[in-house]
Amino acid sequence: MARSTELIVDNVDLTSGVKGWMQDPIVADKCEEFLGEVMNAKAWRESMILTLSDRKLADCTPISLYNAALECAAMQLSPMLKQVAIIPRKRRWKSEGPNGKEIWNEITEAHAQPEWRGFQAIMVRSPEVREIEPCLVFPQDEFAMRDGVVYHEYDPMDEDRMIPQQEELKKLKINNPLDVLRGGYSQVTFHDGRVRYAFMTVRHIKRNRSCSEAFLSADTVQKYKYGQMKNKPIPRTGDKDSPWHIWPDQQVLKTLIRNAWNRQLVVWDPLIQIRLAKMSEVDNAAMGNTLEVQGRTVPSTEPTAATDATTIKHLVAMLNQP
């Protein structure tokens, strides 16, 4: 039986399984080229094999696993260092079914989602930057800014200085885990001693969260009957399984550190600027981020391996241009 051409990409046979194609010389050469001197390519590939072999990714399509691995290499990030996560997401699209009725199709795909430590790792490669740290501010903290300097005092042993997980919300009698926050900020310290800040109120953080289709799909239930599906958004499940629901603290920290980049606190090196921009694109794609996410119509185009492969090649070309 002939093998599906969708499982042969860039002359790499994806039917050999993650370990098989990750050890393919073509993939090994690509990873070494993308990672450069930032990481040991062999060690990185071994860690990626462990990451992609996780049971939670078992239902993901082979092409999406391959693309996710190349995205991580192109961004020079490692899942083992908590710089990027590989998350499964369902993709749905409409097609014509029996008797001409529209039906929903569904597949599970792996997506590379940069974490806040990934953005941090890229930012500190700037020759000017010594460190950059995202910080949370809670109501019980002593917080003020005088003459351009932040004074932030708090008890590091205070167990109430934590964003609660889903299972803790009922006990705390709150519905929104972000209600325990006042806001947050990122602090950029330069080698010459200068310090700059980027602040976000909790209202600003919530507004950013509401631009994530991944959050909205998991937070609300919305179903349509036959005849109501045309030009309607994808049904929302209310499963509370988005990154914003499972790891709210990590998502807030990433929002804070992305805000520091968006506000251009540093005159970034062009290559760093390109990497941060593409990381943001990858993150936006994984989370379904858009300023018009509420009420928008999701395209009904069926995903194809060719489209995914083209996107990866464009990403790699952008990240590795001189």
Side-chain angles (χ1 to χ4, degrees):
M1 180 181 296
R3 292 174 296 181
S4 170
T5 55
E6 291 189 1
L7 294 180
I8 302 178
V9 180
D10 298 332
N11 295 320
V12 177
D13 184 4
L14 302 184
T15 61
S16 58
V18 171
K19 187 174 182 179
W21 57 255
M22 188 61 78
Q23 293 178 338
D24 187 294
I26 296 177
V27 176
D29 290 344
K30 284 180 180 290
C31 293
E32 188 168 352
E33 176 188 355
F34 298 158
L35 296 170
E37 298 180 357
V38 176
M39 297 181 187
N40 180 284
K42 182 178 180 182
W44 182 90
R45 285 189 292 111
E46 291 176 352
S47 68
M48 187 58 70
I49 291 173
L50 292 176
T51 299
L52 297 181
S53 299
D54 193 302
R55 285 185 296 177
K56 70 180 182 181
L57 301 175
D59 295 331
C60 294
T61 62
I63 182 65
S64 70
L65 293 172
Y66 176 76
N67 287 339
L70 285 189
E71 282 180 334
C72 291
M75 292 186 292
Q76 297 182 333
L77 300 178
S78 169
M80 301 301 286
L81 297 178
K82 310 287 187 184
Q83 296 173 341
V84 62
I86 309 297
I87 59 171
R89 283 196 67 191
K90 295 185 184 300
R91 183 188 286 193
R92 303 178 179 93
W93 71 95
K94 291 186 292 186
S95 64
E96 186 175 325
N99 303 321
K101 291 184 177 180
E102 288 185 330
I103 61 172
W104 285 104
N105 302 276
E106 180 180 284
I107 57 175
T108 302
E109 295 180 319
H111 290 266
Q113 180 179 312
E115 302 286 8
W116 72 266
R117 290 184 182 86
F119 283 93
Q120 180 190 55
I122 300 299
M123 289 177 174
V124 296
R125 293 178 193 172
S126 172
E128 294 183 82
V129 178
R130 188 175 75 193
E131 63 180 3
I132 177 169
E133 289 294 334
C135 306
L136 303 178
V137 181
F138 292 82
Q140 61 268 39
D141 297 359
E142 294 292 333
F143 185 82
M145 187 172 187
R146 305 186 189 95
D147 299 325
V149 178
V150 165
Y151 295 86
H152 187 188
E153 296 183 2
Y154 59 88
D155 179 2
M157 301 300 177
D158 184 354
E159 294 185 352
D160 291 332
R161 291 192 77 260
M162 296 178 64
I163 298 178
Q165 301 296 312
Q166 288 185 71
E167 59 272 15
E168 300 172 312
L169 296 180
K170 186 175 182 180
K171 179 180 178 181
L172 296 173
K173 297 181 179 180
I174 60 174
N175 295 322
N176 192 330
L178 301 189
D179 286 344
V180 302
L181 282 176
R182 284 181 63 191
Y185 62 99
S186 286
Q187 176 175 303
V188 180
T189 304
F190 297 84
H191 285 292
D192 60 8
R194 289 179 299 129
V195 179
R196 297 193 68 186
Y197 309 91
F199 302 98
M200 295 186 77
T201 65
V202 67
R203 181 180 178 183
H204 190 179
I205 295 170
K206 288 179 178 179
R207 188 173 63 195
N208 279 32
R209 183 186 64 175
S210 70
C211 291
S212 168
E213 178 62 34
F215 167 75
L216 294 175
S217 294
D219 198 59
T220 56
V221 178
Q222 190 176 41
K223 297 181 179 180
Y224 300 101
K225 298 178 180 179
Y226 283 112
Q228 296 180 307
M229 296 172 65
K230 190 174 183 180
N231 298 323
K232 294 288 186 178
I234 291 175
R236 294 173 177 168
T237 62
D239 290 336
K240 310 292 184 185
D241 58 354
S242 78
W244 273 107
H245 290 89
I246 302 174
W247 305 290
D249 53 343
Q250 299 300 305
Q251 290 301 119
V252 171
L253 290 172
K254 181 166 63 174
T255 300
L256 293 174
I257 209 163
R258 282 192 60 173
N259 183 55
W261 173 67
N262 291 335
R263 292 180 179 274
Q264 296 293 295
L265 296 189
V266 179
V267 180
W268 304 106
D269 174 273
L271 182 58
I272 293 177
Q273 183 85 338
I274 290 173
R275 289 192 182 280
L276 290 173
K278 298 312 294 185
M279 283 174 62
S280 295
E281 286 187 20
V282 171
D283 190 38
N284 290 341
M287 295 296 293
N289 293 339
T290 171
L291 294 178
E292 301 177 352
V293 69
Q294 300 192 57
R296 71 186 175 92
T297 300
V298 178
S300 60
T301 303
E302 180 177 349
T304 64
T307 300
D308 291 338
T310 301
T311 301
I312 286 294
K313 290 176 181 177
H314 174 69
L315 170 66
V316 170
M318 286 293 292
L319 289 178
N320 291 280
Q321 67 181 7

